[in-house]
Amino acid sequence: MIDWIYFFDLCGTAVFALSGALAAGRHKMDPFGVLVLASVTAIGGGSIRDALLGTTPVFWIQDHNYITVILVTVFLTFIFVRKPKRVPRYILPVADALGLALFTVIGVEKALNLELSGMTAVVMGLITGVGGGIIRDLLCQQVPMVLRTEIYATASIMGGICYTISLHWGAADMFALLFAMSTALVIRLAAIRWHLSLPAFDLKTPQ
């Protein structure tokens, strides 16, 4: 029987590695830079999560399939995406949104397997979903998306809540998995499509 959680985890790794590789291409990095950015985007959030949960060695050290997926993704990106400037601008945010949805559920699932509270599980899902993107954006000298007014972390939180509640109410694992990922993905894609955002905290200094 297929381990769907593991399968989606590897899919999320590939998607986030692609996101990091495309971001590196936009900033004209050399091949090593592309590999580094793809790697930190793909495994950064999960590494922070495992360190906080004390599940060491972290997942990608125990299972080399994650590194293999990153290397293959970077290699295929070099072959099929020769001119990053010609890649449609929506590809990077859409890939990032898909990775966010996948990794959010993975983080929640891992915390719940350790019998932690639902609230803690949602936070772990958030860290898993946004951690790699934060590192990627900082290395690209950009303000991380999670710190802007864009609806990003909110999508991850809602996905994590949906997954936790679905399991609590006795829903089948696959239903809870797909429901949570769909929720996070739809919210994030809607925010991208219609430029939805949270109100900014604008603290004006008295003159």
Side-chain angles (χ1 to χ4, degrees):
M1 182 177 179
I2 298 176
D3 186 344
W4 288 106
I5 296 292
Y6 181 64
F7 173 76
F8 282 121
D9 201 4
L10 292 178
C11 288
T13 300
V15 170
F16 260 166
L18 174 62
S19 172
L22 292 176
R26 291 268 174 87
H27 288 79
K28 300 180 180 179
M29 296 185 182
D30 63 19
F32 181 73
V34 175
L35 179 59
V36 169
L37 208 62
S39 298
V40 298
T41 307
I43 61 178
S47 298
I48 297 172
R49 174 203 64 214
D50 284 1
L52 291 174
L53 294 177
T55 54
T56 53
V58 295
F59 67 101
W60 57 270
I61 294 179
Q62 299 183 51
D63 186 349
H64 294 167
N65 286 334
Y66 293 95
I67 300 299
T68 301
V69 167
I70 293 171
L71 292 174
V72 170
T73 301
V74 170
F75 178 71
L76 293 177
T77 302
F78 278 134
I79 293 178
F80 294 106
V81 188
R82 295 179 180 276
K83 295 183 178 181
K85 290 183 179 179
R86 293 188 179 180
V87 176
R89 296 188 65 85
Y90 66 83
I91 293 296
L92 180 56
V94 169
D96 188 81
L98 182 56
L100 176 71
L102 289 165
F103 273 9
T104 293
V105 175
I106 298 302
V108 174
E109 171 69 14
K110 188 152 191 176
L112 291 177
N113 284 339
L114 294 175
E115 300 182 352
L116 299 176
S117 68
M119 182 178 294
T120 301
V122 171
V123 173
M124 289 299 110
L126 175 63
I127 291 173
T128 308
V130 308
I134 290 176
I135 300 173
R136 177 199 63 211
D137 291 345
L138 289 176
L139 290 177
C140 291
Q141 296 183 331
Q142 296 179 333
V143 178
M145 280 192 288
V146 70
L147 299 180
R148 304 177 205 166
T149 57
E150 294 183 36
I151 294 179
Y152 190 79
T154 304
S156 176
I157 293 171
M158 292 305 298
I161 290 174
C162 287
Y163 188 64
T164 304
I165 291 178
S166 297
L167 293 179
H168 180 71
W169 284 350
D173 290 349
M174 181 53 64
F175 173 82
L177 184 74
L178 295 177
F179 176 55
M181 286 196 304
S182 299
T183 299
L185 184 60
V186 167
I187 292 174
R188 180 61 190 142
L189 290 179
I192 295 172
R193 173 64 179 82
W194 290 291
H195 305 288
L196 305 177
S197 62
L198 298 175
F201 178 57
D202 187 6
L203 184 62
K204 297 185 181 299
T205 304
Q207 297 296 326

